[in-house]
Amino acid sequence: MRVNEIFCSLQGEGFNTGMPAVFVRLSGCNLQCPFCDTDFTAFTEMSEGDIIEEVSRHKANMVVITGGEPALQLTESLVEMLHFLGKTVAVETNGTVGLPKNIDWITLSPKDIYLGEMAKPLLKEADELKIVFTDDMREDATPYISKYTDIKVRYRFLQPCDTGDVEKNNKITKATLDYCMEHPEWRLSLQIHKMLNIK
């Protein structure tokens, strides 16, 4: 597998915010989002055994498989091996590629709002849905967000987009908060790892 990095930190966003986790970032993505803040092009070739060996060095009980788009490489056998270690396996996906059936927690973050039909998610069920709330949505986010009502999820999160501009970020965060207050089926997700200046 092409692995960008493996590290231990706190889950910084979504339902599991604050939970210690081992992050396995797989290299490569089938989409190119304009706001992506991850360099997932570099990689080291690792076998599933190599990944398990590295993950086992860390105490965290949760393993988050991320990317890029992890579904391009993730296998049922790797998930099974992580389960054998006693780990709970979560994945963060754009939903355009099928996933192994034995994953414990799925975070779906669709990108067709920004990239059009070619990025429309195939996934119709997940544990949590995470929408990145961008500057374009400040006036009226409903047309962007309402398209996901047919996806079966337990939790729905709106996450303010980090533009790198403090003033813009403050406006986007306020608009996200306002939308959640008006539409209480949505929860606010903040990237606490950035606030804490951790990986």
Side-chain angles (χ1 to χ4, degrees), residues 17-197:
T17 293
M19 186 176 291
V22 183
F23 291 83
V24 178
R25 186 180 304 284
L26 299 179
S27 182
C29 189
N30 58 334
L31 302 179
Q32 293 184 339
C33 298
F35 52 78
C36 185
D37 58 3
T38 303
D39 175 17
F40 50 78
T41 55
F43 63 87
T44 301
E45 291 277 358
M46 297 178 76
S47 68
E48 292 185 352
D50 294 334
I51 294 169
I52 293 299
E53 184 178 346
E54 185 59 33
V55 167
S56 67
R57 298 176 196 269
H58 304 284
K59 292 181 180 178
N61 292 322
M62 176 173 276
V63 175
V64 178
I65 313 292
T66 185
E69 176 45 57
L72 296 172
Q73 298 188 71
L74 186 58
T75 62
E76 195 169 311
S77 57
L78 178 61
V79 176
E80 194 58 41
M81 291 166 79
L82 290 166
H83 284 159
F84 188 76
L85 280 182
K87 307 294 186 184
T88 298
V89 181
V91 68
E92 298 179 355
T93 179
N94 62 38
T96 59
V97 182
L99 289 166
K101 303 294 184 192
N102 54 346
I103 294 166
D104 302 300
W105 187 270
I106 298 171
T107 300
L108 171 60
S109 186
K111 302 300 189 295
D112 56 320
I113 292 174
Y114 326 103
L115 300 175
E117 284 298 305
M118 53 84 69
K120 187 174 180 180
L122 304 174
L123 207 59
K124 293 301 178 189
E125 192 170 337
D127 294 284
E128 64 180 327
L129 176 67
K130 182 183 73 179
I131 305 295
V132 179
F133 199 102
T134 66
D135 203 36
D136 295 335
M137 299 181 190
R138 278 194 290 148
E139 295 306 318
D140 183 13
T142 303
Y144 297 94
I145 293 169
S146 61
K147 62 164 63 182
Y148 301 116
T149 53
D150 63 330
I151 297 176
K152 184 181 176 185
V153 292
R154 295 162 65 187
Y155 306 100
R156 296 176 181 271
F157 288 94
L158 292 181
Q159 183 168 292
C161 183
D162 181 5
T163 65
D165 180 303
V166 174
E167 189 176 330
K168 258 190 182 179
N169 284 358
N170 287 340
K171 288 178 181 176
I172 293 170
T173 299
K174 184 183 182 310
T176 311
L177 175 60
D178 290 346
Y179 192 89
C180 290
M181 294 301 290
E182 288 295 320
H183 303 83
E185 68 273 22
W186 290 93
R187 300 182 182 189
L188 180 67
S189 172
L190 298 176
Q191 294 180 297
I192 67 159
H193 54 293
K194 293 184 178 180
M195 298 174 189
L196 298 172
N197 198 28

